[in-house]
Amino acid sequence: MNNITDNPKKLLAMQKYISLFVILLFSCTGLFAQNIYDIRNAIDFFESNRMQKGEYRHILTESDIEGSPYFNDEFIKGTIFTYQKIQYNDIPLRYNIYNDEMEFQTPNNQVLAIAAPEIVDKAVLGENTFSNIPYALGNKVKRAYFILLTEGKLSLYARPEVLYKKPKKAAAYSEPEPAKFEKRPDTYYLRLNQQAAVRIESKKDLQNFFTDHQNKMESFIKKNKIKPGKADKMMELVEYYNSL
C-alpha cells in the first residue's frame, strides 16, 4: 500500500481539505462566540459599572408616603444582560416603576441605581424579564424598561405605571390626605422587529399599527374581540401575527 506522502497530488488535496476544515472551524467558532455572553458575577458588576444613588430617595421615601413605587418591594437576585454581551449573575435587583430605574443592593446594603441604563439589554427578576427598549412618545423616541410578555417578529410588552399623588391639606368638608403612590393599570406596547415600540390604547391604534396582513388582522381582531387593555387577548393577537 502506497503512503499518502508518496503521492504529491493526494497530499496537496488532503492539505486543502485540512485548510478548509480549519477555516470553517474558526469561522463557526467566531459565530458561536458572538452569540454567547461573557458571564460574570455580582462583584464584577459592582466594580465595573458606573453607579449612583437614586436621587428620588431624598424626596419620595418619607415614612408617611402610602403605597410603593416598586414593582417588587424586596430585592430579588436577578441577572443583568448588557448590549456588550456581558451577563452578570446573582445581583439583588428591584425595579422602581416611578423613576423607571433598575436598582441594586451592594454587599454593604447600599441601594444604588444603574447610572448608565443604556448599556442594559435586559434584566431578569424571577419570572419577569425587563427589556430596556426604545419606544415612540409623540414625535420622539425614548428608552425605558418594559416587561416582555411574548417575543418574536412582533413582540408584546407591558409598561407598569405608578402615579405619585401629593399630600392634601384638610379642607372644609374633607380630611387631610398623605402623599401616596398609586398603582395604575399596565399599558401595552407592540414592537415590530427592532423598531421603536408603539403604545396600543384603542382598536384604532391596532388598525393603524398593522401595515401588512391588514385584512387578516382586522378580521382576527373582530372575530376574537381583541381588546388593547387585555394582556391575554393581546398575546393571542401577537401569536397569530407571528404565525402568518
Side-chain angles (χ1 to χ4, degrees):
M1 182 178 295
N2 292 332
N3 192 297
I4 191 169
T5 56
D6 295 334
N7 190 326
K9 290 184 178 180
K10 288 185 177 180
L11 179 60
L12 183 59
M14 181 63 70
Q15 288 174 337
K16 287 182 178 179
Y17 283 124
I18 292 173
S19 299
L20 179 60
F21 174 76
V22 171
I23 291 171
L24 290 173
L25 178 63
F26 277 98
S27 297
C28 292
T29 302
L31 289 172
F32 179 71
Q34 291 175 10
N35 292 320
I36 63 174
Y37 283 84
D38 176 9
I39 299 177
R40 304 181 186 180
N41 60 27
I43 298 301
D44 290 326
F45 176 80
F46 300 145
E47 293 178 349
S48 64
N49 284 272
R50 290 184 297 143
M51 299 170 283
Q52 66 180 11
K53 291 182 180 179
E55 293 180 0
Y56 75 91
R57 298 183 65 77
H58 305 296
I59 305 171
L60 300 177
T61 55
E62 319 296 347
S63 60
D64 57 349
I65 296 180
E66 294 182 353
S68 170
Y70 301 109
F71 182 80
N72 46 288
D73 290 330
E74 302 298 325
F75 284 93
I76 299 172
K77 281 195 175 182
T79 304
I80 293 287
F81 297 83
T82 74
Y83 283 106
Q84 291 76 29
K85 292 294 182 182
I86 299 175
Q87 173 182 331
Y88 295 99
N89 294 326
D90 297 323
I91 304 170
L93 298 169
R94 71 179 177 188
Y95 176 54
N96 185 312
I97 302 172
Y98 183 77
N99 275 4
D100 187 40
E101 288 182 334
M102 194 59 65
E103 300 179 355
F104 58 95
Q105 191 174 41
T106 65
N108 62 355
N109 295 323
Q110 188 177 18
V111 177
L112 304 174
I114 299 176
E118 64 272 10
I119 71 170
V120 178
D121 177 14
K122 60 184 176 181
V124 179
L125 288 73
E127 297 180 352
N128 295 297
T129 296
F130 291 82
S131 297
N132 185 17
I133 61 171
Y135 70 101
L137 183 63
N139 295 325
K140 298 181 179 179
V141 174
K142 295 196 172 184
R143 182 174 288 271
Y145 289 102
F146 293 80
I147 300 174
L148 175 64
L149 298 181
T150 184
E151 191 173 26
K153 178 182 178 182
L154 179 65
S155 300
L156 175 65
Y157 297 87
R159 182 88 189 272
E161 294 187 5
V162 164
L163 179 66
Y164 174 67
K165 290 189 172 182
K166 295 180 180 180
K168 291 183 178 180
K169 295 181 180 180
Y173 298 101
S174 62
E175 296 292 328
E177 294 183 12
K180 62 182 176 181
F181 291 106
E182 186 177 279
K183 292 282 179 71
R184 305 294 294 170
D186 291 351
T187 52
Y188 298 97
Y189 286 72
L190 292 176
R191 189 186 189 195
L192 187 61
N193 296 319
Q194 297 302 308
Q195 299 174 20
V198 176
R199 182 169 177 167
I200 304 298
E201 296 184 271
S202 65
K203 288 186 177 181
K204 185 177 180 180
D205 290 338
L206 284 176
Q207 292 171 352
N208 292 336
F209 181 86
F210 294 106
T211 57
D212 60 342
H213 307 300
Q214 284 184 322
N215 292 336
K216 289 183 178 179
M217 296 308 297
E218 288 180 8
S219 176
F220 185 87
I221 291 169
K222 184 177 181 180
K223 179 180 178 181
N224 294 276
K225 299 180 180 179
I226 302 299
K227 294 182 179 180
K230 300 291 184 180
D232 56 344
K233 288 294 184 179
M234 290 293 288
M235 290 178 70
E236 284 182 24
L237 180 70
V238 171
E239 289 170 4
Y240 173 72
Y241 178 89
N242 287 333
S243 71
L244 297 176

